Amino acid sequence: SPFEVDFTNESVGALSYWWEFGDDDTHTIANPTHTYHNNGLTDTTYTAMMVAQSFYGCFDTTYHDITVFATPFANFIAQPESQVWPSATITLTDLSVAGSVTYEWDMDDGNELDGEAPDDYTYNDWGVYDIDLFITNGSCSSEATSSIEITPPAPIADFMLDTVGCAPMTVHFESNSQFALSYHWDFGDGGEAQVENPVYGYNFP
């Protein structure tokens, strides 16, 4: 739905025609086109009728059934829309208008779910995820998308090292920082580095 039907008149010996399309609409041309609508949740069958009448008033009637499938409408909400890692669990609430349909959820992280009300879902990393819902009744389908964001937490800077030695002294710095994407080290003597675990030499006491 909407389903457009072209009617081909194969009558013989007729002069005029009367069409009833089964949905309270009528027409009188020989080969009409009619659009059917089904806003319900189940398939609907309409019985179209055509009466062919001759010049002398004789007539004949024929019927034809037209099935219009229900058209589902996919809709859902994903909550919460935004949260801070390590919180990463969302709830999916289906708001679709549908009859008997199958559900496919694409979670945008390589995983898929099925079912009208899947369990709460937990992501393994932060990021923005576009969740897609696809529903179908085997004949008609609908799709909806909703986005959620899991924001990274503030980084926590921490490192370990040997704090005492003789000059010249080579120090292996080991970062124990959490949730970091980049690093900037200031070694206290004018030296700097941008790697996670640098090795640095102190030449003077």
Side-chain angles (χ1 to χ4, degrees):
S1 177
F3 178 39
E4 185 176 270
V5 179
D6 294 322
F7 290 88
T8 301
N9 191 335
E10 297 182 344
S11 304
V12 177
L15 180 66
S16 63
Y17 308 94
W18 174 258
W19 296 86
E20 293 183 2
F21 299 109
D23 59 357
D24 298 326
D25 200 1
T26 61
H27 220 302
T28 57
I29 65 175
N31 296 287
T33 296
H34 184 70
T35 301
Y36 287 92
H37 298 273
N38 181 3
N39 298 319
L41 300 180
T42 58
D43 298 343
T44 299
T45 298
Y46 298 93
T47 300
M49 179 188 74
M50 188 264 283
V51 179
Q53 186 169 351
S54 70
F55 176 81
Y56 298 102
C58 301
F59 64 88
D60 190 24
T61 305
T62 187
Y63 302 88
H64 194 85
D65 288 338
I66 296 112
T67 298
V68 183
F69 300 124
T71 300
F73 175 72
N75 189 22
F76 71 98
I77 56 174
Q79 294 178 314
E81 294 182 4
S82 179
Q83 56 188 313
V84 179
W85 183 270
S87 297
T89 299
I90 63 165
T91 300
L92 300 170
T93 303
D94 177 46
L95 302 176
S96 302
V97 178
S100 178
V101 296
T102 58
Y103 289 77
E104 294 180 9
W105 304 83
D106 185 339
M107 305 307 294
D108 197 26
D109 64 348
N111 292 322
E112 295 183 351
L113 307 175
D114 56 22
E116 179 179 354
D119 294 334
D120 290 349
Y121 186 79
T122 301
Y123 285 94
N124 293 322
D125 199 0
W126 58 75
V128 176
Y129 298 95
D130 295 324
I131 304 168
D132 289 326
L133 168 62
F134 178 82
I135 61 175
T136 179
N137 57 17
S139 302
C140 304
S141 60
S142 180
E143 187 174 0
T145 301
S146 183
S147 295
I148 60 103
E149 181 178 15
I150 302 170
T151 59
I156 301 172
D158 188 23
F159 65 93
M160 295 178 60
L161 74 163
D162 296 328
T163 56
V164 178
C166 298
M169 179 182 176
T170 299
V171 180
H172 295 263
F173 291 87
E174 181 180 349
S175 172
N176 291 330
S177 303
Q178 298 182 55
F179 314 123
L181 294 178
S182 63
Y183 306 86
H184 183 95
W185 295 83
D186 183 339
F187 298 117
D189 64 349
E192 298 179 344
Q194 282 78 38
V195 296
E196 182 177 0
N197 298 301
V199 178
Y200 189 73
Y202 291 91
N203 295 319
F204 303 99

